Amino acid sequence: MSHNPKFDDPLFLAVDLIRCPSITPADHGALDVLQIALEHLGFTCRRFPFSTPEGGDVKNLYARLGAASPNFCYAGHTDVVPVGDEKVWQYPPFAAEVVEGVLYGRGASDMKGAIAAYVAALSNFLEKNKGFKGSVSLLITGDEEGPAKNGTRKMLAALKDEGEIIDMCLVGEPTNVTKLGEMIKVGRRGSLNTTLIVHGKQGHAAYPERAHNPVPELTLVLDALNNWQLDDGNEYFPPSNLEVTYLEAGTGVFNVIPRKATARFNIRFNDLQTSAGLITEIKRIVIETGVKHTLEFDIIGEAFFNEPRKLANIVKTAVKKQTGLTPEFGTTGGSSDARFIKDYCPVVEFGLTGETIHAINECVTLKNLKDLAAIYEEVLREVFLGP
């Protein structure tokens, strides 16, 4: 391994990664860029491609340096969400332009910038601590922003079958709201998607007695669901919430009563709930209204919570040392691949700020990139060398 000053600064790798338009499930060279950097640092890299039902492969990367335990893993993703209307971006979404100390581009915060910061941390740590005892690894998927069926979950199962052991894992998702150092995530809420179809009979609006309008019945059910008080939350989780996200009914004209009305809603739930329990309660509420209906459920993930222990406190100490802030342990936000990793080893999440993720003009300040790299380097030092 030879030291390359280029890797000391996360900006260079972040730019190269952002310039790969890796919208899920496409890779467009993003993992090649990362693999070249990691191999330069001495890592052995392996690819884990998994086929999709639509055809083609989702590309994933596992890299490891060392054979001894503990194996400290960093997990993340190089895929990004679509950019939307490129014309309204201030700078082209895949140009990775730097303007007045800010790097713009899709993936800058979520989460190519964080991956680049971790590689910079590795470069500095390995240069200063060539004889450290243990192993470092990276588990990077190209399927986090999409269905998440051909990425981290399958990689973990394949690695386990090979006898690979990951002792602890840091996920680099953006965990902070507006300031680097605000929050370390020690769990995540569960997510349940539900499609509700209320069935009626189509007919002329002038002859309602010949039809059966499902729209009033759908509003009746939604009112019952909206009045459902799930829970009050607890120390680490906010109250569970149900949000209606989609409504559809009618043929687009004024004089036709529709034959069905559809609603979709999502429940983000804490560890006081389970998807099975929520499904049972939803069915009960709908049945009690007496409407003719169909229900479909899609479980995105269960809620989980890791009691803040060794790794969480290491990250907390590193954050405070670099930023002066004392981060809180939280569980807010959407889902992440930590929901799969928690079944294999202790996992916590810490990354950049999230105010521009998935948005037009996604960006990250160069200061936050460098500060995150410094935090990650301190975490590595604490994990392998102790206080």
Side-chain angles (χ1 to χ4, degrees), residues 6-7 10-23 26-38 47 61 74 77-80 93-96 103-108 110-120 138 140-141 369:
K6 178 180 178 181
F7 296 132
L11 174 62
F12 296 99
L13 183 58
V15 165
D16 288 346
L17 289 172
I18 291 170
R19 287 177 178 169
C20 300
S22 52
I23 300 171
D27 176 68
H28 288 296
L31 288 179
D32 292 335
V33 168
L34 179 58
Q35 181 168 334
I36 290 170
L38 292 173
R47 296 296 182 92
L61 171 70
Y74 182 84
H77 61 92
T78 50
D79 63 316
V80 298
F94 296 112
L103 171 63
Y104 290 87
R106 176 60 85 226
D110 188 14
M111 57 166 281
K112 291 179 176 181
I115 291 174
Y118 191 72
V119 172
L138 292 91
I140 308 296
T141 181
L369 275 181

Side-chain angles (χ1 to χ4, degrees), residues 46-48 62 155-165:
R46 292 190 291 149
R47 296 296 182 92
F48 286 79
Y62 181 71
M155 290 177 71
L156 288 166
L159 289 167
K160 182 180 180 181
D161 288 344
E162 295 177 0
E164 185 82 359
I165 296 174

Side-chain angles (χ1 to χ4, degrees), residues 193-198 214-230 241-249 260-267 281-282 284-295:
N193 290 332
T194 303
T195 299
L196 167 65
I197 303 172
V198 175
V215 176
E217 294 185 338
L218 178 63
T219 60
L220 176 69
V221 178
L222 292 180
D223 184 59
L225 289 168
N226 190 55
N227 289 324
W228 174 22
Q229 188 70 32
L230 280 77
N241 63 294
L242 183 155
E243 301 298 332
V244 178
T245 57
Y246 176 87
L247 292 172
E248 181 183 55
K260 67 177 182 178
T262 301
R264 293 175 185 158
F265 54 91
N266 173 263
I267 298 179
E281 187 65 10
I282 291 168
R284 183 193 66 78
I285 291 172
V286 178
I287 289 172
E288 286 186 354
T289 64
V291 305
K292 185 179 179 181
H293 69 278
T294 300
L295 280 167

